[in-house]
Amino acid sequence: MAVTRFFLPTEIVAGAGSFAQLGKLVQPLGRRALVVGSPGRRGLLEMATANLAAAGVEAGLYAGVGHEPTLDVVETARAQAREMGAEVVIGIGGGSAMDAAKAAAGLYHQPGTVAEYHTGRKLDPRPGLPLVCVPTTAGTGAEVTKNAVLIDPARRIKESIRDDSWFARLAVLDPELTLSLPAAMTASTGADALCQAIESYVSIGAGPVSDPLAAEAVRLIGRSLERAVTRGDDLAARSDMLYGSLLAGMAMTNARLGAVHGLAHPLGARYHIAHGVLCGLLLPTVMDYNIDYATDRYARVAELLGLDVRGLGAKEAGQRGAAWVRELLARIGIPMQLGPLGVKEADFDGIIAESLQQSSLKHNPRPMQAEDVRAVLVQAL
Ligand SMILES: [Fe+2]
């Protein structure tokens, strides 16, 4: 058996109503906290600072995270944390808010600029501030991953900074916070979660510890994604989605991902298409492309999605699963072609070169050379 590693030092507090315990949970971690989030969730962020204050935690607020976590945003959040002498950083929101908070906390004591670490400068061994994550989307699983995906708009590069010390100390998952997420955002973030669950299940880095997490994520997301989109107030569906994205995050940070994510980062940075949209768009095409290289795994994915595949061969079952995923994602409004989103065949060489550098691509079950990446792009165009 191959030697695998699984590491997750994050305390997870989950369930409806858990957000109300935030102050009490953060209090042992520090007396001064910087809350990081986006302007659209200011009301929720202010509820958090009030809750912290009631527990004796002095809280500052940085509500400047946009749709993507840029280097500037992290630089500003880090400066604000330093200025107030923060002892803990709390990211509240989707992946962008959590990743911005994660990088601001992780780089708190590091001497260089954020841009230097984004271009490969090594981190000093000194850990940053403790991080707390409160997801308000069921998508990225950033509350249990050690990397922050940051965008450098000047270089049009989307790249992670990662370190074992960057895992959140605490994740608070309250499905009630996701009830108000609009249908389109529920669909795109949920498509990312479904993709992460499936990619980590078929990854060449998958193993006996990550497998049950990824499998349960596929099952929960498969049964509840459409319901969460069409009936946003269904707490049971929202709960399934939040647990599903959590479990997928736990699996993928250890097992890693695959070709969808290897392509999503270069495409996202170049065309400013939402990450979840790209993941959903590419997922069924990549499933079909991979099927001969992880046939039994894809057959199991089809079962986990709730399909009746009795009597089918493994390959046929896997193909049935890919077709079902394509139909599901189309039904919830995920576009299924890249061309209408502005992607140009003339850019393929650059996209391929960037995707070949992505570690996700190297964990795809089917080995991906330049011609393989091109084949997927042509298929999805
Ligand atoms: Fe993702």
Side-chain angles (χ1 to χ4, degrees):
M1 195 179 85
V3 175
T4 60
R5 172 182 189 254
F6 189 94
F7 180 58
L8 183 71
T10 305
E11 178 185 2
I12 297 161
V13 177
S18 55
F19 182 64
Q21 298 178 25
L22 183 68
K24 196 179 75 181
L25 293 165
V26 169
Q27 203 265 341
L29 300 178
R31 290 159 300 152
R32 273 187 304 282
L34 179 66
V35 173
V36 174
S38 59
R41 299 309 299 256
R42 182 171 278 277
L44 183 69
L45 302 177
E46 285 172 354
M47 277 172 63
T49 56
N51 188 287
L52 290 159
V57 180
E58 185 192 324
L61 178 57
Y62 173 72
V65 183
H67 289 299
E68 303 276 13
T70 59
L71 303 183
D72 285 356
V73 157
V74 177
E75 203 67 83
T76 309
R78 180 175 71 160
Q80 192 172 330
R82 285 174 172 171
E83 202 171 307
M84 70 176 285
E87 295 175 351
V88 53
V89 178
I90 306 173
I92 302 178
S96 300
M98 289 189 281
D99 279 357
K102 191 182 290 179
L107 295 173
Y108 184 84
H109 293 297
Q110 301 292 326
T113 64
V114 176
E116 285 169 33
Y117 298 100
H118 199 240
T119 47
R121 176 171 172 169
K122 285 222 170 332
L123 296 164
D124 290 350
R126 189 174 176 192
L129 297 183
L131 171 73
V132 177
C133 283
V134 183
T136 61
T137 67
T140 63
E143 67 275 16
V144 283
T145 65
K146 64 179 172 184
N147 64 308
V149 186
L150 305 180
I151 287 208
D152 180 351
R155 294 189 302 135
R156 289 200 304 182
I157 294 285
K158 197 169 186 178
E159 194 72 67
S160 280
I161 307 177
R162 67 180 74 235
D163 193 80
D164 269 355
S165 71
W166 283 29
F167 280 105
R169 185 79 64 82
L170 167 71
V172 179
L173 288 94
D174 188 337
E176 290 182 350
L177 301 188
T178 67
L179 289 172
S180 59
L181 193 67
M185 283 281 286
T186 304
S188 62
T189 53
D192 184 23
L194 177 63
C195 180
Q196 291 175 175
I198 293 175
E199 287 214 295
S200 57
Y201 189 67
V202 302
S203 159
I204 61 167
V209 186
S210 64
D211 278 349
L213 300 169
E216 180 65 357
V218 172
R219 192 181 73 83
L220 291 173
I221 298 166
R223 82 174 179 188
S224 286
L225 173 54
E226 187 165 15
R227 177 96 178 148
V229 172
T230 56
R231 283 295 309 270
D233 60 350
D234 185 328
L235 188 62
R238 293 293 195 177
S239 188
D240 273 2
M241 289 304 298
L242 199 55
Y243 277 110
S245 67
L246 168 79
L247 295 171
M250 292 164 73
M252 78 170 180
T253 202
N254 289 283
R256 311 304 291 272
L257 291 163
V260 176
H261 276 77
L263 268 163
H265 287 175
L267 286 167
R270 193 175 284 257
Y271 300 106
H272 304 289
I273 306 167
H275 175 72
V277 167
L278 283 167
C279 287
L281 191 157
L282 293 167
L283 176 61
T285 299
V286 168
M287 289 172 79
D288 275 327
Y289 196 72
N290 285 345
I291 223 149
D292 287 333
Y293 292 76
T295 314
D296 291 341
R297 292 233 156 204
Y298 282 112
R300 180 73 186 128
V301 164
E303 284 179 351
L304 290 163
L305 290 170
L307 307 189
D308 182 1
V309 292
R310 283 173 298 182
L312 298 183
K315 182 168 179 176
E316 204 181 343
Q319 287 168 329
R320 188 75 65 87
W324 186 88
V325 165
R326 187 182 298 278
E327 286 159 21
L328 166 71
L329 294 170
R331 274 202 309 279
I332 63 170
I334 301 293
M336 280 293 137
Q337 287 179 292
L338 291 169
L341 301 178
V343 177
K344 302 265 182 298
E345 198 160 0
D347 295 339
F348 278 8
D349 287 347
I351 296 163
I352 291 165
E354 285 166 33
S355 76
L356 289 171
Q357 303 302 317
Q358 301 282 321
S359 68
S360 293
L361 203 79
K362 295 168 187 153
H363 288 78
N364 194 62
R366 178 171 181 163
M368 298 294 284
Q369 310 297 333
E371 61 269 25
D372 299 292
V373 180
R374 188 180 301 277
V376 169
L377 284 169
V378 167
Q379 190 75 34
L381 192 64

